[in-house]
Amino acid sequence: MTDNIKLIGKDGLRLDGRKADELRPIKIQAGVLDNADGSAYLEWGNNKVLVAVYGPREAQPKYLQNPAKAIVQVTYNMAAFSSDERVRPGPNRRATEISKITAEALENVILTNQFPRASIDVYIEVIEADAGTRCAGLTAASVAVADAGIPMMNMVSSCAAGKIDGQIVLDLGKKEDNFGQADLPIGLVARTGEIVLLQMDGHLTQDEFKTALKMAMEACKHIHGLQQEALRSRYAVNFADMDDGEAEQ
Ligand code: UDP
């Protein structure tokens, strides 16, 4: 993170025309893959993320099994074509880190103790990346886990706030991430206010940290509504489309 380009204009707007506390547009669709137990597709600005969930199924190899609860295994992957510079295929330190923090966030809400010795496998494929993919991945993964019918207390909603040109802003884009001063991604259980993911890159004062955290938490509450809406549209029964006999069954 360096700050050698201007990221906020004289009009107070950011490079893509957003206000400080404005999110990029988000679209979420649940149940997009036939072969997975649960799935979700999410577009967040120029990020495009596909998530497939399998399980609960017997954890393999057996030494991974926990007799008290299911394990949550997340594989985050950026497609080779997801960025303007080719991403080298295969695992790397960053993908391993994002997989780990995503699994830990989900373990907080999934009722793993109902499925001893099982594994819940979550595959996050980033098809296009434009900063904020860990937040996009975790948000989509929560919808996909719910779509799989896996019991969970609540969904996790995720979003980042950060600092650019000395100002706290929501949901950093790629240039803002590269040339800004700080990035603070969080994962929030919107209903309880519990934070299940908190990372920080760069430097913030205590006051800036509090402002950024509050901004990201508010955004997560909004994102939670979009996640619920995605599940509602997937499972809503349209009684108007049924004939009378079907509707009475
Ligand atoms: N990025 C990339 N290639 C990589 C890693 C990252 O192009 O190998 C880009 C991508 O747009 C990503 C952004 O850098 O979204 C910021 O990456 P970061 O590690 O901060 O994670 P993210 O913000 O995506 O959660």
Side-chain angles (χ1 to χ4, degrees):
M1 296 219 167
T2 50
D3 51 343
N4 50 9
I5 68 163
K6 198 94 189 89
L7 297 167
I8 300 184
K10 287 202 181 91
D11 52 5
L13 298 179
R14 296 152 68 179
L15 292 178
D16 58 4
R18 279 187 291 152
K19 295 187 206 120
D21 61 351
E22 197 175 333
L23 277 169
R24 290 172 285 181
I26 300 176
K27 276 197 288 187
I28 314 174
Q29 207 184 335
V32 291
L33 297 173
D34 286 340
N35 290 339
D37 294 323
S39 58
Y41 173 68
L42 177 146
E43 288 184 3
W44 183 324
N46 294 326
N47 290 307
K48 295 190 174 69
V49 177
L50 187 59
V51 179
V53 170
Y54 296 85
R57 59 186 180 186
E58 190 184 4
Q60 294 289 356
K62 281 206 161 143
Y63 69 80
L64 290 176
Q65 293 183 356
N66 183 330
K69 59 180 188 175
I71 53 167
V72 179
Q73 303 192 86
V74 174
T75 310
Y76 165 101
N77 181 56
M78 273 179 74
F81 52 82
S82 63
S83 173
D84 43 11
E85 285 165 42
R86 179 175 177 272
V87 180
R88 200 160 162 235
N92 53 50
R93 283 176 61 149
R94 176 177 171 275
T96 305
E97 173 220 324
I98 296 178
S99 302
K100 182 174 185 290
I101 53 130
T102 306
E104 286 169 359
L106 292 172
E107 271 165 11
N108 278 283
V109 287
I110 298 175
L111 300 178
T112 51
N113 56 356
Q114 291 191 5
F115 306 101
R117 302 187 191 285
S119 176
I120 292 161
D121 302 321
V122 179
Y123 296 91
I124 300 173
E125 292 291 324
V126 179
I127 300 163
E128 276 189 20
D130 194 39
T133 59
R134 72 194 63 211
C135 299
L138 177 54
T139 298
S142 296
V143 175
V145 171
D147 180 51
I150 295 170
M152 62 206 295
M153 280 181 291
N154 287 295
M155 282 188 285
V156 179
S157 314
S158 179
C159 184
K163 184 177 166 187
I164 58 169
D165 285 0
Q167 204 178 311
I168 300 301
V169 297
L170 186 64
D171 184 23
L172 273 60
K174 180 81 188 292
K175 279 214 174 95
E176 295 176 332
D177 187 273
N178 288 352
F179 300 105
Q181 293 124 20
D183 190 23
L184 178 82
I186 68 159
L188 180 81
V189 183
R191 241 181 242 159
T192 59
E194 191 188 351
I195 291 172
V196 292
L197 165 70
L198 180 68
Q199 297 189 291
M200 192 165 99
D201 186 13
H203 298 281
L204 292 174
T205 64
Q206 272 192 25
D207 283 348
E208 286 170 344
F209 175 82
K210 279 186 201 154
T211 309
L213 186 61
K214 192 162 172 254
M215 205 182 249
M217 285 174 78
E218 282 308 313
C220 284
K221 288 179 199 158
H222 170 72
I223 292 164
H224 184 241
L226 302 178
Q227 292 171 296
Q228 287 178 312
E229 197 46 52
L231 289 169
R232 249 184 235 123
S233 3
R234 159 105 162 113
Y235 291 103
V237 180
N238 191 348
F239 289 105
D241 289 344
M242 289 183 168
D243 63 36
D244 291 349
E246 258 183 304
E248 277 162 22
Q249 277 169 22

